C-alpha cells in the first residue's frame, strides 16, 4: 500500500500509530433505528431528555470535561427547550423531527451570540441525536476491537469523547468538527492525539495503518517503515535532547513549524518553533458550499499571527487538490498539474481576492508579526507576476511562491519568478513526486500512484532542482525555505543547509529532534 498524506486540524499534541477503527456515521445509525410515523408521547420525550442529562451528569470525568458535561445536561433540563419541542409536536411534527427542530432552533440562538456560544451550537446536534436514539431504544452497540485502535468517525459527541478509554483508544480522527468543539476539548484533556476536519478521511478503512500527528494536523495512511521510524526517533527524545530545547544555541537555519490550523500554534511554540513556515489554509474552505467570508478568515489568520508576535508566519493561500474538490471553484489547467495550485486561484479571482484581503486585514491588526504570504505550486513566471500583483494590491508586504514542480526550476524561469516575489518556499513533497516522474495522486479513487520516502528527496535528480532554486535565491538576495516533509529529516536537512537554505519548516512533533541533530 502506498503511503497517503492527509491533512486536518490538529488538537493538542502527540503522535499515535496504530490500526484504524472506523465508526459509521451516527446519522446513518440513527436512520436505521428511527421509526417514521411513530408518534411518541410527551412524557416519553421528557424522560429521554432527562435520561440523557443524567447520563451526562454521571460521566466520570473531571475538570474541563466535567464542566462541558454539566453544561450540556443543563441545556437538556432547560424547560424552554422542552416547550419548543412541545410546540412542534402540537403542530403535528413527528417526535424525532420535533426534537431536532427544537434543538436546531436553540443552536441558532447560540450561534447568533457568536464566539464561545457559537462553538457550543454544534453540540446541540449531538444532543438531539442522543435524545432521539434514547427514544428509539438506543443505538445498536458498537463492537470495538480488543486491541488498542485509532478511532475514525465523521464526528464524535462530547459524551462519547468523555467515555473514551485511553488504554484502548490511541487517537481520534474526525472528518467534521472544529478544534474548539466540546469534543475536541475533552479529547485534548485526555491527552489523546486528535485530528479534526481531516480531508480525505473517507479513504480510511477499518484495519488500515495510521500515523496521527496532532501537532501539525497531519495523518499518514499506510505510512512507510521509514516514516514510522522517523516519528519513533522523534518521540524517543532523551533528557539531553529536552535540555537542548532550552539551549540558547541556535541551529544554522531558522526552524519553523507547519500548521494546519491556528489551534496548533501553542504546541508549535512549546516545541521551539521560531515562527510558521507553512500555514495551510485549506481547512477553512473544505466541506463548504461557499468560500469562507473575509471576517471568518480574518479571525483564523489573526489568531495565528497573534500567537507568533515578533516572528515570521508564512501563510499559503488555498491549495486545491483533486481530492479536496470545492463546489465554488472553477476548474483550471490540464495535464498532470490540472486543478492544482495557483492556476486554480487565478481562474477564481473572486475567491483569491477575499483571501488576500482577509490576510491583509490580519496583517494590519497584528503589526508585530511578520506575515509572509505565498501561493502554492506556481507553474510559470506569468503566474508568479499575477499573484504578486494581486497580493501587493491587497496591501500584503511580503509575497512569495512555492516551488513544487521541476519546470519552474529551469534557468531563466526561476530567475524570472524571483524578480516578482520576495521569497521562495520549496515544497519537497510535490517536487520529489514530480521530479521522479510520479504523480502524487491518480484520478479516481484517490490512491497515490507511487509512494515517495523521505530519503528520495536526497536523490541527485531532486537535489539538483533544490540546489538550483537555492542558488538563484542567493543570487537574487531573496530567502529560500523548505517546508516539505523532508525538511524534518536530519540527513536531508543537513544537505539543505549546505546548499544554503534559509529556513526549514516541519511538524512541531519533529522539531526538537531536528534541532538536536543539527546542534549535535
Ligand atoms: C509540499 O508539497 O511539499 C508541501 C509542503 O505542500 P503540501 O504537502 O501541502 O502539498
Ligand atoms: Mg505541495
Amino acid at each position: 500500500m502506498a503511503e497517503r498524506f492527509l491533512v486536518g486540524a490538529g488538537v493538542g499534541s502527540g503522535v499515535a500509530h496504530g490500526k484504524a477503527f472506523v465508526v459509521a456515521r451516527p446519522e446513518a445509525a440513527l436512520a436505521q433505528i428511527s421509526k417514521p410515523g411513530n408518534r411518541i408521547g410527551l412524557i416519553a420525550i421528557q424522560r429521554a431528555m432527562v435520561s440523557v442529562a443524567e447520563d451526562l451528569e454521571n460521566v466520570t470525568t473531571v475538570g474541563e470535561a466535567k464542566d462541558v458535561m454539566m453544561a450540556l445536561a443543563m441545556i437538556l433540563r432547560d424547560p424552554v427547550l422542552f416547550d419548543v419541542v412541545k410546540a412542534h409536536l402540537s403542530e403535528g411534527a413527528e417526535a424525532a423531527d420535533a426534537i431536532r427542530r427544537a434543538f436546531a432552533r436553540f443552536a441558532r440562538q447560540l450561534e447568533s451570540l457568536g464566539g464561545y456560544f457559537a462553538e457550543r451550537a454544534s453540540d446541540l446536534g449531538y444532543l438531539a441525536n442522543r435524545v432521539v436514539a434514547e427514544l428509539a431504544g438506543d443505538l445498536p452497540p458498537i463492537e470495538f476491537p480488543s486491541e488498542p485502535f485509532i478511532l475514525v468517525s465523521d464526528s464524535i459527541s462530547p459524551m462519547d469523547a468523555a467515555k473514551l478509554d485511553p488504554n484502548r483508544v490511541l487517537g481520534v480522527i474526525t472528518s467534521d468538527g472544529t478544534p474548539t468543539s466540546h469534543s475536541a476539548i475533552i479529547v485534548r484533556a485526555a491527552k489523546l492525539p486528535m485530528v479534526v476536519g481531516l480531508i480525505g478521511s473517507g479513504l480510511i478503512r477499518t484495519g488500515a495503518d495510521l500515523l496521527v500527528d496532532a501537532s501539525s494536523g497531519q495523518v499518514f495512511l499506510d505510512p512507510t517503515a521509514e516514516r514510522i521510524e522517523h516519528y519513533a526517533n522523534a518521540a524517543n527524545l532523551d533528557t539531553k535532547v529536552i535540555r537542548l530545547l532550552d539551549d540558547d544555541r541556535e541551529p544554522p537555519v531558522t526552524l519553523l513549524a507547519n500548521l494546519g490550523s491556528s489551534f496548533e500554534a501553542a504546541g508549535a511554540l512549546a516545541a521551539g518553533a521560531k515562527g510558521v513556515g507553512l500555514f495551510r489554509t485549506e481547512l477553512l474552505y473544505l466541506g463548504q458550499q461557499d468560500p469562507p467570508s473575509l471576517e471568518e478568515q480574518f479571525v483564523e489568520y489573526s489568531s495565528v499571527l497573534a500567537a507568533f508576535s515578533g516572528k515570521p508566519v508564512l501563510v499559503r493561500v488555498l491549495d486545491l487538490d483533486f481530492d479536496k474538490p470545492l463546489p465554488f471553484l472553477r476548474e483550471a489547467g490540464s495535464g498532470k498539474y490540472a486543478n492544482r495550485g495557483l492556476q486554480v486561484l487565478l481562474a477564481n479571482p473572486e475567491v483569491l481576492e477575499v483571501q488576500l484581503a482577509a490576510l491583509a486585514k490580519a496583517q494590519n491588526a497584528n503589526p508585530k508579526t511578520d506575515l509572509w504570504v505565498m501561493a502554492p505550486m506556481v507553474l510559470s513566471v506569468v503566474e508568479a507576476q499575477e499573484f504578486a500583483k494581486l497580493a501587493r494590491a491587497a496591501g500584503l508586504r511580503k509575497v512569495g511562491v512555492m516551488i513544487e514542480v521541476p519546470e519552474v526550476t529551469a534557468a531563466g524561469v526561476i530567475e524570472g519568478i524571483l524578480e516578482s516575489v520576495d521569497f521562495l518556499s520549496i515544497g519537497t513533497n510535490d517536487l520529489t513526486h514530480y521530479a521522479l516522474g510520479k504523480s502524487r495522486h491518480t484520478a479516481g479513487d484517490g490512491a497515490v500512484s507511487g509512494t515517495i520516502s523521505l530519503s528520495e528527496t536526497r536523490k541527485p535528480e531532486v537535489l539538483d532542482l533544490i540546489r538550483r532554486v537555492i542558488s538563484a535565491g542567493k543570487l537574487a538576495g531573496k530567502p529560500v525555505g523548505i517546508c516539505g516533509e523532508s525538511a524534518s529529516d536530519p540527513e536531508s536537512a543537513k544537505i539543505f543547509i549546505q546548499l544554503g537554505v534559509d529556513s526549514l519548516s516541519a511538524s512541531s512533533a519533529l522539531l526538537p529532534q531536528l534541532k538536536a541533530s543539527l546542534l549535535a
Side-chain angles (χ1 to χ4, degrees), residues 280 316 319 340 376-377 402 404 427 429-431 440:
R280 293 183 166 102
R316 178 177 75 187
D319 185 12
R340 291 220 54 197
M377 200 177 279
M402 284 186 71
E404 306 191 85
N429 302 341
D430 277 306
L431 186 64
R440 198 159 168 187

Side-chain angles (χ1 to χ4, degrees), residues 174-189:
T174 64
S175 55
D176 301 338
T178 65
T180 49
S181 69
H182 270 150
S183 308
I185 291 168
I186 292 166
V187 176
R188 194 180 69 228

Side-chain angles (χ1 to χ4, degrees), residues 14 17 35 60 75 84-85 112 138 169 183 187 200 269 274 310 323 325 337 368 413 434 487 506:
H17 176 219
K35 300 169 183 165
T60 42
I75 293 176
V84 182
V85 177
S112 67
D138 220 340
V169 181
S183 308
V187 176
L269 286 163
K274 297 292 175 212
D323 60 341
Y337 305 131
K368 291 195 182 136
V413 182
Y434 290 122

Side-chain angles (χ1 to χ4, degrees), residues 53-71:
E54 281 171 354
D55 197 15
L56 288 164
E57 285 154 355
N58 293 334
V59 173
T60 42
T61 179
V62 287
E64 227 174 345
K66 183 81 195 164
D67 296 344
V68 169
M69 296 299 124
M70 299 316 273

Side-chain angles (χ1 to χ4, degrees), residues 50-115:
V50 169
S51 159
V52 176
E54 281 171 354
D55 197 15
L56 288 164
E57 285 154 355
N58 293 334
V59 173
T60 42
T61 179
V62 287
E64 227 174 345
K66 183 81 195 164
D67 296 344
V68 169
M69 296 299 124
M70 299 316 273
L72 295 177
M74 223 160 83
I75 293 176
L76 283 166
R77 291 184 183 278
D78 188 333
V80 178
L81 180 59
F82 184 61
D83 282 348
V84 182
V85 177
K86 232 174 9 185
H88 286 310
L89 279 177
S90 62
E91 285 160 11
E94 296 299 336
D97 191 34
I99 292 165
R100 290 218 170 84
R101 278 162 60 188
F103 280 57
R105 189 161 129 189
F106 206 93
R108 279 195 298 278
Q109 281 166 0
L110 286 182
E111 252 161 17
S112 67
L113 296 174

Side-chain angles (χ1 to χ4, degrees), residues 31-353:
Q32 284 171 23
I33 54 138
S34 71
K35 300 169 183 165
N38 178 11
R39 295 189 61 109
I40 303 172
L42 261 180
I43 294 178
I45 293 176
Q46 193 166 32
R47 239 190 248 133
M49 287 170 73
V50 169
S51 159
V52 176
E54 281 171 354
D55 197 15
L56 288 164
E57 285 154 355
N58 293 334
V59 173
T60 42
T61 179
V62 287
E64 227 174 345
K66 183 81 195 164
D67 296 344
V68 169
M69 296 299 124
M70 299 316 273
L72 295 177
M74 223 160 83
I75 293 176
L76 283 166
R77 291 184 183 278
D78 188 333
V80 178
L81 180 59
F82 184 61
D83 282 348
V84 182
V85 177
K86 232 174 9 185
H88 286 310
L89 279 177
S90 62
E91 285 160 11
E94 296 299 336
D97 191 34
I99 292 165
R100 290 218 170 84
R101 278 162 60 188
F103 280 57
R105 189 161 129 189
F106 206 93
R108 279 195 298 278
Q109 281 166 0
L110 286 182
E111 252 161 17
S112 67
L113 296 174
Y116 174 84
F117 294 103
E119 287 290 350
R120 305 289 73 86
S122 61
D123 296 329
L124 270 288
Y126 296 123
L127 282 185
N129 283 348
R130 192 64 179 227
V131 173
V132 173
E134 181 77 22
L135 269 177
D138 220 340
L139 294 171
I142 296 168
E143 292 288 331
F144 287 106
S146 51
E147 291 300 308
F149 58 91
I150 294 171
L151 183 68
V152 181
S153 182
D154 287 35
S155 56
I156 180 166
S157 73
M159 29 291 200
D160 290 337
K163 288 179 182 168
L164 292 177
D165 175 0
N167 293 319
R168 295 183 65 199
V169 181
L170 302 167
V172 181
I173 290 174
T174 64
S175 55
D176 301 338
T178 65
T180 49
S181 69
H182 270 150
S183 308
I185 291 168
I186 292 166
V187 176
R188 194 180 69 228
K191 299 206 174 355
L192 284 173
M194 180 184 204
V195 174
V196 299
L198 187 75
I199 302 159
S201 63
L203 297 168
I204 304 172
R205 301 279 173 263
T206 289
D209 200 27
L210 289 179
L211 198 152
V212 182
D213 175 358
S215 70
S216 59
Q218 300 182 157
V219 172
F220 299 90
L221 171 56
D222 297 313
T224 58
E226 189 190 25
R227 177 92 51 205
I228 296 165
E229 196 192 330
H230 185 46
Y231 269 91
N233 289 342
N236 291 333
L237 289 176
D238 57 23
T239 46
K240 183 170 145 241
V241 174
I242 300 283
R243 274 204 309 277
L244 274 169
L245 257 181
D246 304 323
D247 193 320
D248 281 347
R249 288 182 304 150
E250 282 303 326
V253 291
T254 314
L255 298 188
L256 306 167
N258 287 353
L259 303 186
S261 102
S262 62
F263 214 67
E264 296 154 15
L269 286 163
K274 297 292 175 212
V276 179
L278 169 64
F279 183 74
R280 293 183 166 102
T281 56
E282 286 74 67
L283 279 187
L284 281 164
Y285 293 80
L286 275 143
Q288 308 292 338
Q289 283 309 305
D290 300 299
S293 68
L294 191 151
E295 212 45 45
E296 227 174 296
Q297 294 187 51
F298 165 72
V299 170
E300 173 71 349
Y301 304 148
S302 217
S303 33
V304 74
L305 292 187
F308 286 89
S309 177
K311 298 185 170 65
V313 174
L314 277 72
V315 177
R316 178 177 75 187
V317 292
L318 176 61
D319 185 12
L320 182 87
D321 205 339
F322 97 93
D323 60 341
K324 332 166 191 167
L326 297 169
F328 47 84
L329 286 184
R330 282 179 288 279
E331 298 191 353
S334 58
K336 59 184 168 180
Y337 305 131
N339 290 319
R340 291 220 54 197
L342 176 56
Q343 61 179 342
V344 182
L345 286 178
L346 294 174
N348 293 271
E350 67 290 357
V351 175
L352 177 59
E353 276 161 22

